[in-house]
Amino acid sequence: MERNEGTVDRIIRAVLAVVFLVVGLGPLQGLQGAVLGIVVAVVGLILAFTAATGFCLIYKLLGVSTTGTCNM
């Protein structure tokens, strides 16, 4: 996996991951809230993974890179 996320992109993803995980895993009421909480937590986990690895599959599929280098 070749890195395709720049430093600022990774920092933003890490901060959002923490926010999504806190919101998603916080106390929820009712089934709808629990399902929504799980979805939000999963998005947080994905953001945390991409921030840690510096690789985003969606960026790869779209040919996008925020590293500041040209990959063409």
Side-chain angles (χ1 to χ4, degrees):
M1 292 187 301
E2 183 179 332
R3 231 180 97 185
N4 59 5
E5 293 176 8
T7 304
V8 173
D9 191 358
R10 292 175 77 182
I11 291 169
I12 292 169
R13 286 171 186 261
V15 170
L16 286 175
V18 170
V19 170
F20 276 47
L21 286 168
V22 168
V23 169
L25 298 176
L28 300 170
Q29 297 177 4
L31 180 60
Q32 184 181 24
V35 172
L36 181 59
I38 291 169
V39 171
V40 171
V42 168
V43 171
L45 287 173
I46 293 168
L47 287 171
F49 176 78
T50 60
T53 61
F55 176 78
C56 177
L57 181 61
I58 294 173
Y59 278 9
K60 180 74 172 179
L61 294 173
L62 296 175
V64 174
S65 176
T66 59
T67 59
T69 61
C70 183
N71 291 335
M72 294 191 160

